[in-house]
């Protein structure tokens, strides 16, 4: 039996809100649009970029949403390549949690709205990319909450839905887990409040990283 723990990245493994907000603001500035307030930007973290832009600018057409998504990617790459971005730190205690799960026989995966390049950069920077046997990103899947990322991760690992848990900080993660038929663990240190996670289908909310491994192991 393969037990699979799938993690969201932004707001779950790493705190990336500063960089995401700044890249959105630059994309809107470049299009001569008023940037959304930061709480609104944090609320779309986890979605694929075009879907995020649809929510942030609902009156625009598909072409403008795509253009803003492209501008976001260009801004993010430019800010990173010039050293203007802060590093995306792992949340305190996350290394210990991942090591505990691996030692207890869990296979690890990631399902994220990041691109392949962005996810690889973060995991490589923290020296943990080889700890994950399956990496699913927005480059190859519909936006969350579509279950495609989880379904592909389970196929990669050879895991059943009953033996898989999705761990995330947004309602999109919880709804994705429900759509895939897996357990859903919400984390309280990310970007959506606990009541939204519960409403979207979280089985449990974990208050801090120290309690996460126990929640994953719980039946």
């Amino acid at each position: 039996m393969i037990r699979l723990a799938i993690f969201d990245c932004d707001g779950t493994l790493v705190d990336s809100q500063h960089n995401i907000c700044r890249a959105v603001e630059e994309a809107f500035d470049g299009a001569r649009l008023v940037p959304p307030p930061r709480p609104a930007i944090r609320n779309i973290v986890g979605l694929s970029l075009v879907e995020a832009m649809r929510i942030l600018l609902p009156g625009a057409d598909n072409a403008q949403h795509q253009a803003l998504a492209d501008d976001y990617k260009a801004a993010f790459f430019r800010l990173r390549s010039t050293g203007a971005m802060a590093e995306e730190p792992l949340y305190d205690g996350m290394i210990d949690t991942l090591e505990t799960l691996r030692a207890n026989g869990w296979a690890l995966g990631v399902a994220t709205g990041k691109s392949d390049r962005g996810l690889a950069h973060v995991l490589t920077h923290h020296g943990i990319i080889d700890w994950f046997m399956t990496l699913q990103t927005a480059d190859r899947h519909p936006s969350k909450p579509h279950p495609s990322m989880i379904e592909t991760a389970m196929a990669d690992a050879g895991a059943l839905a009953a033996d898989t848990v999705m761990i995330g900080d947004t309602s999109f993660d919880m709804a994705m887990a429900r759509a895939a038929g897996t357990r859903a663990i919400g984390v309280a240190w990310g970007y959506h409040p606990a009541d939204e996670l519960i409403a979207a289908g979280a089985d449990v909310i974990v208050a801090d990283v120290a309690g996460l491994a126990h929640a994953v192991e719980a039946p």
Side-chain angles (χ1 to χ4, degrees), residues 131-146:
W131 293 13
F132 298 91
M133 70 161 303
T134 179
L135 301 174
Q136 306 303 323
T137 76
D139 285 347
R140 289 168 281 112
H141 295 281
S143 180
K144 298 175 183 179
H146 193 285

Side-chain angles (χ1 to χ4, degrees), residues 33-34 40 50 90 99 112 124 128 137-138 176 185 195 197 206:
L33 295 167
V34 177
V50 173
L90 287 165
E99 287 180 332
T112 177
T124 300
I128 58 174
T137 76
M176 180 173 64
I185 295 177
D195 59 342
L197 302 180
V206 180

Side-chain angles (χ1 to χ4, degrees), residues 42-100:
R42 286 192 291 270
N43 206 45
I44 56 82
V45 173
L47 293 175
S48 297
L49 285 175
V50 173
E51 182 61 26
M53 298 307 172
R54 287 193 186 105
I55 292 173
L56 293 175
L57 196 66
D61 59 20
N62 288 338
Q64 190 167 15
H65 293 146
Q66 183 63 61
L68 281 169
D70 292 341
D71 290 346
Y72 172 94
K73 288 188 283 188
F76 202 99
F77 181 75
R78 181 176 63 255
L79 290 166
R80 174 170 282 161
S81 64
T82 59
M85 279 192 163
E87 288 299 339
E88 298 168 325
L90 287 165
Y91 287 101
D92 289 345
M94 190 57 68
I95 288 289
D96 290 342
T97 293
L98 295 174
E99 287 180 332
T100 296

